[in-house]
Every structure is written in C-alpha cells, then in structure tokens.
Amino acid sequence: MDDRSVTLRRMTPAEYQSATEIREAETVRQLAERMPEELARAHTRQGTARFLPDGLDTAGHHLVVAEDGSGRTVGTAWIGPDPRAGAGVSTSAWLYHLRVLPEFRRQGYGAAVLAAAERLAVRLGSTDLALNVFGGNEAAIALYRRGGYGVTAMYLNKSLRE
C-alpha cells in the first residue's frame, strides 16, 4: 500500500444527501443481520434524525469529503461530539462514519481519511476520538487497530431467532 494523504472539505448539500443515503443503506444492511429489516430501517432513520436534526448544518457535526492530491473524492467522514458525554462536558470527539469509495479501497486511503479526521478533531479541541464498529466488519476493525485504536467496551449478541 502506498502512503496516501487527503484533504477534507465540507460536503455540499447534494453530497450530504448521497452520503446519508449510502450510510443509512449500509447501516440497515448490517442491522438487518440482527433484527427485522423494517425495524433496522426505522432505527437507522431515528438515528439520523437524532444526531443530525439540522442535517448538514447540525451544530458541532462536521460532514466532510476526503479528496486526494488530484482533487478526486476518495471518501467521506462524519465527526461530531461524543454521544456518550453530556453536552459541553467532554473533549472527546466521535467518528460517526468513515467511508472510502469502493474504487479506492485497499490502497491506503482508509488510513489517510482516518488520519485527516483525527487532525480535524484536534483542530476542534478534542483530546481523543472514539467510534463504534460492527463486530463483523473485519476490514474496519483492522484499519482502526492499525491506527492505534483499542477496545474500550464490547457488546456481545446472540440471535435467538431460528
């Protein structure tokens, strides 16, 4: 893998709409492995409404596009306040979503987007960056481990559906 670098810029409204549709579809697909699909859709829509009540203009949330040195969009990220902390009482940021476009995967862009998200969090005054990752997302888990992230909590689940 080559070392890559990216710059982040604020999403346009059209990019936000597209990124939201893609993020929600990915989330529904992953949640539907553990719950009925309609419930997964409702849960995902509720999450977007809760965390991004004003969409792209939600205070404290940064929805960004990652571009390579040629100006090509290689991915997106969403960084905001840590949802585990009370309003204004934490210096921890939260990585709500990180996505590398399929044609740029396995080329070092995931690490580059993650590093750029970390730099943004530092510029915003954050002292650490936390995130959740689905347990079956081995590629993401490997990316975060390579980036120095460690497990701070673990939720286990067993499906009781036949």
Side-chain angles (χ1 to χ4, degrees):
M1 263 188 288
D2 299 331
D3 285 335
R4 304 289 183 178
S5 65
V6 298
T7 57
L8 301 179
R9 65 166 174 78
R10 187 176 196 264
M11 286 181 182
T12 66
E15 289 167 331
Y16 169 77
Q17 182 64 37
S18 176
T20 298
E21 289 170 5
I22 291 167
R23 184 187 74 254
E24 287 182 349
E26 289 174 353
T27 302
V28 167
R29 181 182 50 77
Q30 291 176 328
L31 287 176
E33 295 175 6
R34 295 166 187 80
M35 65 180 65
E37 186 171 337
E38 194 49 44
L39 183 60
R41 285 187 197 291
H43 179 75
T44 300
R45 283 191 299 267
Q46 289 167 355
T48 298
R50 176 180 170 211
F51 293 111
L52 293 171
D54 296 320
L56 189 56
D57 297 320
T58 301
H61 290 261
H62 303 271
L63 295 114
V64 295
V65 170
E67 296 178 336
D68 69 5
S70 301
R72 295 179 302 178
T73 296
V74 299
T76 59
W78 169 15
I79 301 100
D82 188 334
R84 303 169 303 172
V89 298
S90 175
T91 59
S92 177
W94 193 264
L95 182 62
Y96 287 83
H97 194 252
L98 184 148
R99 179 173 187 266
V100 175
L101 276 64
E103 62 269 29
F104 295 105
R105 292 179 184 161
R106 313 287 309 157
Q107 298 176 44
Y109 286 108
V113 176
L114 182 58
E118 292 169 351
R119 289 191 301 273
L120 173 59
V122 168
R123 284 195 309 275
L124 295 170
S126 300
T127 57
D128 61 307
L129 184 62
L131 56 93
N132 275 336
V133 62
F134 283 103
N137 191 342
E138 299 298 331
I141 292 168
L143 168 69
Y144 298 128
R145 287 195 185 279
R146 283 191 311 272
Y149 290 75
V151 174
T152 57
M154 186 179 296
Y155 298 94
L156 301 174
N157 182 68
K158 177 181 177 182
S159 176
L160 301 177
R161 293 186 287 167
E162 293 184 35

